[in-house]
């Protein structure tokens, strides 16, 4: 697979279509890219303490050079920022900035800031224009694309939100060089997910090329672009997750339950790590149900372990979850319909499918076995 210096992936949604720009230097050129697409001249930037300290001045300068006026709000970093409390803060800031139709709200940060800011943009003035500037690998390949926004509650993750598509996504791959190894690995779990859903050739390429992806350069740009294209294709076919888009949740039902159990404590577990463990559990559960060969699960485990991601629940620091606690979270999953459990399972590498009405008793037994209970 070869890549150009910069790539453009189009998300085709009629009059709401938008571009995902992928490559180096996009924060420095953000003003030019935004002004070419935006009628308004005012912007409200939402970021967090970690990202803002590093990238907010450069973004503000780029916007200023293109004649755009911007205000900013800096929030605490971390998953706990996806809350009602901080949603109110963002909404207040956007209203105080007098963002009008034609202006836009910018999310400068990872998935937390993107989800929270997108939710605020979706409800302020019944829908404001919205631009994503994702700064983590996870947000560049997943959460910044597709219009899912939301916050967490004590009942579970992302249970309150709206679908609100961005008008532009600027995925500056230079910023990925500043991520910690743990952050990059966590994002890589979502990259691997696209191969495991329905692109076995992409997963095979990752098995051979993951070190180049981690090192940066063309392989990294190619991995980000391939992931964004995979998600754009699914979103275009099923924007509001009435069908095939649910496949993007491979590993997420188990992963979200683990995140809820840890109370979104990033010291114990971050989203991509939960997805990594969840994808392994999905493949192992598929094998247990005689849907797939155990060899597929072994291959997934081997690759995720090789890149340094956790593959078992026992690797989560602190208190061990119980099957009962995890089932409480799974029962709140957004894919539950009529009280019946829905999982994304697999028949092999790149052969995922939506399994409706999975017996809860089978899931409980499986989790108890994996937990050694």
């Amino acid at each position: 697979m070869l890549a150009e210096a910069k790539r453009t992936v189009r998300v085709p949604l009629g009059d709401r279509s938008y571009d995902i720009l992928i490559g180096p230097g996009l924060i420095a050129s953000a003003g030019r890219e935004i002004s070419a697409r935006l009628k308004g001249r005012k912007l409200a930037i939402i970021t967090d303490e970690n990202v803002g300290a590093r990238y907010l001045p450069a973004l503000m300068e780029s916007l200023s050079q293109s004649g755009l006026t911007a205000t900013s709000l800096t929030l605490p970093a971390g998953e706990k920022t996806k809350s009602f409390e901080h949603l109110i803060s963002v909404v207040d800031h956007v209203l105080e900035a007098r963002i009008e139709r034609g202006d836009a709200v910018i999310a400068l940060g990872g998935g937390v800031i993107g989800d929270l800011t997108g939710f605020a943009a979706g409800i302020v003035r019944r829908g404001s224009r919205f631009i994503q500037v994702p700064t983590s690998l996870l947000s560049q390949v997943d959460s910044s694309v597709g219009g899912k926004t939301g916050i967490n509650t004590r009942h579970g993750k992302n249970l309150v939100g709206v679908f609100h598509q961005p008008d532009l996504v600027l995925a500056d791959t230079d910023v990925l060089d500043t991520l910690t190894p743990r952050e990059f690995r966590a994002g890589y779990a979502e990259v691997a997910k696209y191969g495991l859903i329905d692109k076995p050739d992409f997963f095979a390429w990752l098995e051979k090329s993951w070190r180049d992806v981690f090192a940066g350069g063309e392989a990294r740009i190619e991995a980000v672009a391939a992931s964004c294209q995979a998600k754009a294709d699914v979103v275009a076919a099923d924007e509001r997750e009435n069908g095939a888009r649910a496949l993007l949740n491979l590993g997420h039902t188990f992963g979200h339950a683990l995140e809820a159990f840890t109370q979104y404590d990033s010291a114990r577990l971050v989203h991509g790590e939960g997805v990594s463990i969840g994808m392994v559990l999905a493949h192992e559960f598929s094998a247990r149900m005689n849907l797939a060969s155990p060899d597929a699960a072994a291959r997934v485990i081997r690759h995720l372990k090789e890149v340094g991601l956790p593959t078992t629940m026992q690797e989560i620091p602190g208190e061990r979850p119980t099957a009962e606690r995890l089932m409480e979270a799974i029962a709140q999953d957004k894919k539950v319909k009529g009280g019946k459990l829905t999982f994304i399972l697999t028949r092999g590498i790149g052969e995922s499918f939506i399994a409706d009405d999975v017996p809860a008793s089978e899931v409980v037994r499986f989790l108890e076995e994996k937990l050694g209970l």
Side-chain angles (χ1 to χ4, degrees):
M1 291 185 175
L2 298 175
E4 301 171 358
K6 289 184 181 178
R7 300 285 296 276
T8 300
V9 173
R10 184 76 169 166
V11 183
L13 292 170
D15 60 2
R16 293 176 297 109
S17 298
Y18 57 94
D19 290 330
I20 309 165
L21 306 186
I22 304 156
L26 284 170
I27 288 180
S29 62
R32 182 174 71 248
E33 300 292 352
I34 292 170
S35 62
R37 294 168 171 81
L38 200 70
K39 293 180 181 178
R41 311 307 292 173
K42 290 188 297 184
L43 300 158
I45 304 170
I46 312 301
T47 189
D48 69 36
E49 294 167 339
N50 296 340
V51 173
R54 189 180 292 269
Y55 298 115
L56 182 58
L59 178 58
M60 295 283 278
E61 176 63 20
S62 176
L63 298 175
S64 177
Q65 288 179 356
S66 294
L68 301 170
T69 301
T71 62
S72 67
L73 173 67
T74 300
L75 299 173
E79 188 73 27
K80 292 183 179 180
T81 295
K82 281 177 60 171
S83 66
F84 280 109
E85 174 189 359
H86 289 105
L87 175 66
I88 293 170
S89 298
V90 175
V91 168
D92 281 345
H93 180 82
V94 172
L95 291 173
E96 288 171 3
R98 297 186 181 276
I99 297 299
E100 300 173 355
R101 206 169 281 175
D103 299 328
V105 182
I106 297 179
L108 173 65
V112 169
I113 290 297
D115 286 359
L116 174 67
T117 304
F119 187 12
I123 59 177
V124 168
R125 303 191 191 282
R126 298 191 176 92
S128 303
R129 298 191 70 178
F130 173 45
I131 295 167
Q132 288 267 24
V133 185
T135 59
S136 67
L137 179 59
L138 190 150
S139 59
Q140 288 191 3
V141 302
D142 185 60
S143 60
S144 68
V145 181
K148 276 189 176 181
T149 73
I151 58 174
N152 304 329
T153 77
R154 64 183 179 86
H155 297 287
K157 184 164 180 167
N158 297 330
L159 292 178
V160 179
V162 296
F163 283 93
H164 187 61
Q165 297 291 345
D167 294 89
L168 175 66
V169 180
L170 300 175
D172 189 333
T173 52
D174 280 343
V175 307
L176 302 180
D177 291 333
T178 65
L179 299 180
T180 67
R182 185 189 183 199
E183 289 172 322
F184 193 89
R185 286 194 300 266
Y188 182 85
E190 294 281 3
V191 176
K193 177 192 74 175
Y194 292 109
L196 294 173
I197 291 172
D198 63 358
K199 291 179 170 47
D201 290 346
F202 181 49
F203 187 74
W205 179 78
L206 290 171
E207 288 177 304
K208 296 176 182 177
S209 307
W210 70 267
R211 291 178 180 83
D212 295 330
V213 174
F214 275 59
E218 290 188 352
R220 180 179 291 176
I221 293 172
E222 178 61 30
V224 174
S227 300
C228 288
Q229 186 65 65
K231 184 157 190 182
D233 291 344
V234 173
V235 170
D238 179 22
E239 182 180 359
R240 291 182 175 265
E241 201 173 298
N242 294 313
R245 183 168 177 171
L247 291 171
L248 295 172
N249 291 304
L250 174 64
H252 285 59
T253 300
F254 289 118
H256 283 171
L258 292 170
E259 286 185 90
F261 170 74
T262 62
Q263 297 182 309
Y264 310 107
D265 181 354
S266 60
R268 298 180 63 192
L269 188 75
V270 295
H271 177 67
E273 293 168 341
V275 169
S276 176
I277 298 170
M279 290 191 299
V280 169
L281 291 173
H283 281 79
E284 290 181 327
F285 185 62
S286 297
R288 188 183 192 280
M289 300 292 287
N290 296 316
L291 297 167
S293 166
D295 293 343
R299 186 175 164 190
V300 174
I301 292 168
R302 183 165 57 249
H303 181 57
L304 296 177
K305 274 187 174 180
E306 190 174 25
V307 304
L309 281 162
T311 59
T312 67
M313 292 182 282
Q314 285 80 357
E315 293 173 74
I316 301 172
E319 179 189 359
R320 181 88 55 89
T322 64
E324 181 181 8
R325 291 277 298 276
L326 293 177
M327 289 301 292
E328 288 175 3
I330 287 171
Q332 287 281 9
D333 187 87
K334 298 184 296 301
K335 296 183 294 302
V336 172
K337 294 181 180 179
K340 296 179 180 179
L341 301 181
T342 298
F343 282 82
I344 310 305
L345 300 180
T346 183
R347 298 185 178 90
I349 301 296
E351 298 183 66
S352 297
F353 67 97
I354 302 168
D356 294 314
D357 199 11
V358 175
S361 59
E362 291 288 347
V363 181
V364 171
R365 273 197 292 270
F366 169 72
L367 289 172
E368 287 177 343
E369 289 174 9
K370 300 311 297 183
L371 289 163
L373 300 174

